[in-house]
Amino acid sequence: MVIGSLADNLTRGVENVASTLASPFTDTTIRLGVTGLARAGKTVFITSLVANLMDRARMGQLLAEAEGRIVAAYLQPQPDDTLPRFDYEEHLAALTSTSPHWPDSTRAVSELRLSLKVQPTGILGGIQGPRTVHLDIVDYPGEWLLDLALLDKTYVEWSQETLARLSERPEGTEFLALANAEDGTADLAEPRARALADAFTDYLNAARKAGFSDCTPGRFLLPGDLAGSPVLTFAPLPEQPNAPRKSLWREMERRFEAYKSRVVKPFFRDHFSKIDRQVVLVDVLNAIHQGPKAVEDMRRVLSEVMGAFRPGPNAFLTQLLLGKRVERILFAATKADHLHHTQHRQLTQITKALLRDAEDRANFAGAKTKALSLASLRATTETTVPHNGGELDCVRGTLMTGKEAAFYAGELPEDPARLLAPARQGAEAWLDGDYGNMAFAPSPLRLRPGEGPPHIRLDRAAEFLFGDKL
Ligand SMILES: Nc1nc2c(ncn2[C@@H]2O[C@H](COP(=O)(O)OP(=O)(O)OP(=O)(O)O)[C@@H](O)[C@H]2O)c(=O)[nH]1
Ligand SMILES: [Mg+2]
């Protein structure tokens, strides 16, 4: 029977081959993870990427588009019924309204499915109908990746490391005093646990504000529905080897373990393990603006992030992935529209150096990686202003206050080491220069038919991330 029907299939006409190949079984699904630390630009990236894939006039560097092979793009219901949908329409409306504004901060995992109808290349291209490629975009906070490192740590080890780091930061003084004054052997009193967890969360928030990136446990900053639950009501305490059962210290230890098994593991199991391609968005310019300590911290954090993608970093993850791994990882410095294009190369070089360093440190091998700088939504135009008898290439845009302003971020060095070396050596401030930062409002858009929102190199990012599958 089987042989008969096979032979029968072979004698069918070309049109039938086309319809067989275009059946749902040949649909390709790519799960694209989008992550980055808070405010890195995830929401704007996804919104603009989707808008630019639906209206592709600005996607010339996406090969399939340049070849005219993308026939259609449309949103579809996502495959996962229990994940919140990425609120594309609302975010796009914010960015493209008559008084455009940036979308609100998002605090959890969300997903969106964009399907592309693509004409295949090669010999089959002529006879075969368009294929469908589903792009399942998953947005998740980068902080959650950093929690992977917690899985390998005991409460004692985590406390030691965290308290040591705190003692080097002015933001940590208050919590440190509280933690050192605490009698961990005393019976657990919930208000004490709460006070410690609150003070610790305050420290994490202050540290993040000061530009530090290693603010774990990730859910303390983004609690979602877990806010106030015991699994988030713990804090690091100095070791108490003789703490009795039911003491504050023992309970903190128990909750730390619960955080690992009830919060961290499910994230890696349910979301992370399914990702095929990943983009890590990094606000490199902001870290440079914050100073050498923030850059050094970012560097360390990026290697931890890379660590999560390295095969075999952690027994639990290895078991979970069973050989499957993310195939491509893009490191993208966002908000490149804060710089005149003559400085984009420097920003890209710095991002490349950060990626290389992260790869070295994480002893990374396997996935294909790339670094670039981009702007998901260009909010500025380029301009040249007179300066000290010469001219200065800078950008102009509308500030959040509604005022127009020209802005020059500072001169980024040609050699990334000029920034990364002092950062590594623990410098307090940049010797060579001063780097500014400025928040621009999105500018009102006048889009022609077929045009998505203006961007910088979003098409290159797309080509690297999934161009090979189109
Ligand atoms: N000029 C410019 N600013 C950007 C761009 N992308 C993001 N921003 C700025 O960065 C802020 C954060 O962007 P989001 O996309 O909300 O960042 P996020 O990573 O989703 O942030 P959270 O949801 O808070 O974690 C925005 O409010 C803008 O001020 C860009 O392409 N150009
Ligand atoms: Mg967001």
Side-chain angles (χ1 to χ4, degrees):
M1 268 323 286
V2 175
I3 292 173
S5 69
L6 246 181
D8 187 40
N9 275 349
L10 289 175
T11 57
R12 279 193 203 164
V14 166
E15 319 76 27
N16 285 345
V17 173
S19 67
T20 322
L21 290 178
S23 76
F25 300 106
T26 59
D27 287 3
T28 306
T29 302
I30 309 161
R31 233 174 142 79
L32 171 66
V34 178
T35 199
L37 300 175
R39 311 313 287 153
K42 303 178 286 293
T43 304
V44 178
F45 175 86
I46 297 174
T47 308
S48 184
L49 177 67
V50 171
N52 275 292
L53 286 171
M54 306 249 263
D55 289 301
R56 295 177 297 280
R58 296 187 206 264
M59 296 298 273
Q61 297 292 327
L62 182 61
L63 203 61
E65 173 57 22
E67 293 173 354
R69 293 191 293 104
I70 303 182
V71 185
Y74 48 96
L75 293 173
Q76 287 211 74
Q78 66 196 44
D80 303 86
D81 289 332
T82 54
L83 266 188
R85 179 176 182 273
F86 179 86
D87 200 347
Y88 170 69
E89 292 78 9
E90 167 119 7
H91 299 318
L92 185 69
L95 292 172
T96 56
S97 75
T98 40
S99 51
H101 52 277
W102 298 108
D104 292 336
S105 216
T106 43
R107 304 272 108 163
V109 184
S110 65
E111 184 186 26
L112 188 70
R113 166 168 280 194
L114 176 79
S115 298
L116 300 166
K117 280 238 177 284
V118 187
Q119 192 66 43
T121 45
I123 308 169
L124 283 180
I127 51 168
Q128 196 180 331
R131 282 182 310 130
T132 306
V133 178
H134 304 292
L135 193 60
D136 290 339
I137 305 175
V138 183
D139 173 9
Y140 66 92
E143 285 81 355
W144 296 7
L145 283 182
L146 303 181
D147 279 351
L148 181 67
L150 298 184
L151 291 182
D152 291 329
K153 286 175 192 156
T154 63
Y155 177 62
V156 171
E157 289 163 346
W158 174 72
S159 289
Q160 262 170 6
E161 280 173 25
T162 309
L163 293 172
R165 197 178 310 139
L166 256 117
S167 63
E168 287 164 17
R169 297 180 181 170
E171 296 80 15
T173 323
E174 216 163 290
F175 173 78
L176 212 53
L178 206 63
N180 286 330
E182 196 63 57
D183 177 8
T185 58
D187 275 0
L188 165 77
E190 200 55 46
R192 296 301 313 141
R194 176 85 265 152
L196 283 162
D198 285 347
F200 183 59
T201 310
D202 287 348
Y203 152 73
L204 289 175
N205 277 306
R208 187 172 68 181
K209 223 173 173 171
F212 293 108
S213 310
D214 58 352
C215 304
T216 50
R219 289 301 200 296
F220 276 57
L221 296 169
L222 310 167
D225 347 330
L226 294 174
S229 64
V231 86
L232 296 193
T233 313
F234 68 90
L237 286 178
E239 187 172 1
Q240 295 283 351
N242 302 319
R245 279 184 62 226
K246 304 217 161 135
S247 63
L248 176 72
W249 194 91
R250 286 277 167 235
E251 181 62 15
M252 291 280 181
E253 181 184 39
R254 194 192 65 75
R255 291 178 185 188
F256 175 78
E257 292 301 329
Y259 180 84
K260 281 160 52 177
S261 62
R262 307 294 287 278
V263 178
V264 183
K265 285 187 175 176
F267 162 70
F268 281 93
R269 189 186 58 223
D270 301 339
H271 306 299
F272 182 81
S273 65
K274 298 178 186 155
I275 287 168
D276 304 307
R277 308 288 168 99
Q278 177 69 50
V279 52
V280 180
L281 301 173
V282 201
D283 194 346
V284 175
L285 281 174
N286 187 49
I288 294 174
H289 160 70
Q290 301 272 7
K293 291 210 156 143
V295 169
E296 174 58 10
D297 186 60
M298 165 177 281
R299 216 160 66 121
R300 251 181 344 113
V301 165
L302 290 179
S303 56
E304 273 194 49
V305 165
M306 283 311 272
F309 294 101
R310 177 181 49 137
N314 168 285
F316 163 74
L317 197 59
T318 310
Q319 181 67 32
L320 192 66
L321 297 177
L322 287 174
K324 176 190 179 305
R325 67 160 91 104
V326 175
E327 300 153 329
R328 294 184 174 207
I329 304 170
L330 176 71
F331 260 43
T334 50
K335 312 177 195 179
D337 57 329
H338 284 91
L339 294 177
H340 191 271
H341 77 270
T342 46
Q343 290 217 71
H344 286 183
R345 193 167 42 88
Q346 285 92 312
L347 180 60
T348 303
Q349 290 307 331
I350 293 165
T351 313
K352 279 193 176 145
L354 281 166
L355 168 64
R356 203 172 316 128
D357 190 84
E359 286 183 320
D360 289 350
R361 287 194 189 199
N363 193 10
F364 188 77
K368 197 167 166 186
T369 57
K370 183 183 172 73
L372 56 68
S373 51
L374 58 79
S376 310
L377 187 87
R378 207 174 61 217
T380 64
T381 50
E382 300 194 330
T383 179
T384 301
V385 297
H387 178 74
N388 284 348
E391 287 188 325
L392 197 60
D393 287 334
C394 50
V395 295
R396 167 183 297 282
T398 311
L399 301 182
M400 301 307 248
T401 55
K403 263 207 197 139
E404 277 264 319
F407 170 64
Y408 181 68
E411 184 163 352
L412 294 176
E414 286 286 339
D415 177 7
R418 294 254 308 278
L419 291 180
L420 300 185
R424 194 195 300 244
Q425 287 149 13
E428 292 289 333
W430 302 119
L431 284 180
D432 299 340
D434 214 359
Y435 300 98
N437 202 2
M438 198 170 251
F440 291 105
S443 32
L445 301 177
R446 256 174 269 110
L447 302 180
R448 283 187 290 254
E451 264 184 1
H455 63 80
I456 300 170
R457 283 186 285 276
L458 200 56
D459 47 352
R460 280 181 196 272
E463 176 62 30
F464 174 75
L465 286 168
F466 50 83
D468 61 315
K469 294 277 190 184
L470 300 181

